[in-house]
Every structure is written in structure tokens, then in C-alpha cells.
Amino acid sequence: MKIAFTTSDRVHINAHFGWARQIEVYEVSDEGYTFVETLTFDGDLKEDGNEDKITPKLDALGDCTIVYVLAIGGSAAARLIKKGVTPIKARSEEEEIAEVLTKLVQTLKGNPPPWLRKALKQKDTNFADELENEATV
């Protein structure tokens, strides 16, 4: 699964989702994690009320399971969840990306909590499955 982190220094989860200029993406499994890419965003990202600024981020994170943020607005969180991406707030801006990744790997090796199993299951369904589910309702 792909996990993303909003960051200003590529070490800590220390950026607000809407204001983040960088989002680090990693591939995570029960065997470990690997760096995938750094997503970068330009423009006036601090402008409150400008919902257009988050659209490129939402599009770029569509294949991620989780995005860790320092903070996130309600509208952006709702839009992420609608895309099947679970936003999680960091404990503090000192929380390190590597520390969270290591804990995630350990969790995946064991018995993941219900919220994580649900997030993983959402990413396992594909468009055809969703159509089939809609047709049977």
C-alpha cells in the first residue's frame, strides 16, 4: 500500500495538508517500506477558502491508502475519504516519517486494527467491483 506524508523537511510530518509544498510517498508492506516519490506543489497554497488548491493533491494521492498530516481542513478530509484515502493527524510536528513507517510495518506483520483493515480493504476493491456492488443494491 502507498502511504503519504505532508512535510516541509522530508523528515517530519510537519505540514498542513492544504499548505504542504511537498508530500512524500512510500510503499509499505509487512516486509518493510521503500521511498516512491516526492510530490511537489506550487502556487498560493496558504489562501484559505481556495478549494482549488487541494484538487491537484487529491488527484496525486488517489492511489494512496493513508496520508499523514499535521493538520487538515474538514472539507479536504471529506474529499480524501471520498477518494478512499484515510487522513491521519500526526501527534506533533516532531513526529518522524521513518518512525511512523517502522510502526506501520510492525502493525502489518501482526493484527492490524479495524480502521487499518478497512482502509486496506477499500484500496483492494476496484472499479468493476464497485459497479457490481451498485448493481446488486
Side-chain angles (χ1 to χ4, degrees), residues 9 20 22 24-25 40 52 60 64 67 78-79 87 98 110 115 118 121 125:
D9 63 6
Q22 294 179 317
E24 298 287 291
V25 180
T40 56
D52 291 339
C64 291
V67 61
R79 289 173 68 186
W115 71 265
K118 182 179 178 187
K121 187 171 181 170
T125 53

Side-chain angles (χ1 to χ4, degrees), residues 60-105:
L61 296 172
D63 63 344
C64 291
T65 302
I66 299 169
V67 61
Y68 283 85
V69 300
L70 179 62
I72 188 168
S75 169
R79 289 173 68 186
L80 275 172
I81 291 166
K82 189 174 181 179
K83 283 191 164 279
V85 181
T86 303
I88 297 178
K89 287 187 181 179
R91 289 188 194 97
S92 78
E93 59 187 84
E94 298 300 314
E95 191 164 24
E96 293 188 12
I97 293 169
E99 181 182 314
V100 171
L101 287 166
T102 300
K103 286 179 185 173
L104 264 175
V105 170

